[in-house]
């Protein structure tokens, strides 16, 4: 993502593995090799990338094991290395390279900005990228309900429940939308299902 910030998303599905992740091993070896071959500040810049990633590599300690924001701090070392590489090029060529990089990555940034306009745009973009991501669909439904778009919210919740009828959070969210619509038979039906799964579901008890 440092080299090619493409297919970015606010939500990445967790990937559970039982063996070493080749990408992570290669990345760590590349940083170690850079630190060994480089000298002084450049070596420190390479180590900075790995040091910035160490907290999130301890995936058992964090709730979201993969997010674009995890690269903010490591990108400092990455940019130091890019700047040092450009500085070693003859001035005229270096200026063209720097300007080209600024235009390319600036364009990628501008292209990404609309997705961060608000929560609705962000969740819609993330769902287009990962249509099977239940967490994103649930958040999109909640945001639609918050905006008063109740039919659209119910459509997203029903799509989620069609694939996972026992999804308690989706059922509870659906009962909340039904309350907003004044659909009391629907609330009773939905919450009856929830309470069969989780008798202590306080939000459904409140909705009833």
């Amino acid at each position: 993502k440092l080299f090619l910030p493409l297919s970015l998303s606010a939500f990445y599905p967790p990937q559970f593995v039982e063996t070493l992740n080749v990408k992570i091993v290669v990345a760590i070896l590349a940083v170690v090799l850079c630190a060994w071959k480089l000298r002084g500040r450049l070596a420190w810049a390479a180590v900075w990338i790995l040091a910035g990633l160490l907290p999130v590599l301890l995936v058992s300690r964090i709730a979201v094991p993969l997010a674009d924001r995890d690269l903010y701090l490591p990108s400092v070392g990455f940019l130091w290395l890019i700047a040092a590489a450009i500085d070693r090029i003859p001035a005229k060529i270096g200026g063209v390279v720097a300007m080209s990089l600024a235009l390319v990555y600036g364009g990628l940034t501008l292209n990404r900005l609309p997705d961060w306009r608000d929560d609705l745009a962000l969740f819609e973009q993330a769902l287009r990228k990962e249509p099977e991501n239940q967490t994103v669909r649930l958040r999109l439904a909640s945001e639609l309900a918050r905006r008063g778009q109740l039919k659209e919210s119910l459509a997203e919740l029903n799509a989620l429940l069609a694939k996972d009828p026992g999804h308690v959070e989706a059922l509870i969210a659906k009962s909340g939308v039904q309350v907003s619509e004044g659909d009391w038979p629907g609330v009773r039906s939905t919450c009856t299902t929830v309470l069969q799964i989780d008798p202590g579901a306080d939000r459904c008890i409140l909705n009833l």
Side-chain angles (χ1 to χ4, degrees):
K1 297 298 183 183
L2 287 175
F3 281 102
L4 294 173
L6 303 173
S7 298
L8 300 178
S9 176
F11 305 91
Y12 292 94
Q15 298 179 16
F16 301 98
V17 295
E18 296 178 354
T19 57
L20 286 176
N21 186 309
V22 175
K23 292 179 181 178
I24 292 178
V25 172
V26 169
I28 292 175
L29 289 176
V31 169
V32 171
L33 180 63
C34 286
W36 177 50
K37 288 291 187 180
L38 298 172
R39 295 291 182 269
R41 296 175 183 175
L42 293 184
W44 165 241
V47 172
W48 181 284
I49 298 173
L50 180 58
L53 284 173
L54 280 177
V56 294
L57 292 180
L58 296 171
V59 292
S60 63
R61 300 287 189 270
I62 59 176
V64 182
L66 184 64
D68 293 336
R69 65 177 178 274
D70 298 336
L71 288 177
Y72 292 168
L73 192 59
S75 69
V76 175
F78 176 74
L79 293 175
W80 280 343
L81 290 175
I82 296 296
I86 293 174
D87 192 47
R88 295 188 178 190
I89 302 173
K92 289 184 179 180
I93 300 176
V96 173
V97 171
M99 184 60 69
S100 299
L101 290 174
L103 289 173
V104 170
Y105 287 101
L108 290 172
T109 300
L110 291 175
N111 184 60
R112 176 72 169 140
L113 283 178
D115 297 332
W116 287 92
R117 181 178 67 254
D118 54 35
D119 284 347
L120 187 59
L122 185 63
F123 297 151
E124 286 176 339
Q125 184 272 339
L127 193 61
R128 285 195 300 271
K129 187 173 181 296
E130 296 286 345
E132 301 302 316
N133 193 316
Q134 294 184 342
T135 300
V136 175
R137 191 174 294 278
L138 187 59
R139 293 194 182 195
L140 175 59
S142 297
E143 179 61 19
L144 287 167
R146 189 184 71 80
R147 292 166 177 254
Q149 298 174 241
L150 303 181
K151 289 183 179 179
E152 293 82 353
S153 177
L154 273 179
E156 295 296 341
L157 291 169
N158 287 332
L160 195 162
L161 290 168
K163 296 182 178 181
D164 185 1
H167 196 296
V168 174
E169 288 186 65
L171 287 166
I172 292 174
K174 181 176 180 178
S175 74
V177 175
Q178 290 169 325
V179 167
S180 298
E181 288 188 322
D183 178 11
W184 304 112
V187 173
R188 188 174 297 109
S189 174
T190 302
C191 281
T192 297
T193 302
V194 171
L195 293 173
Q196 288 174 346
I197 301 170
D198 179 10
D202 51 359
R203 283 176 60 192
C204 249
I205 293 171
L206 178 62
N207 286 343
L208 284 171

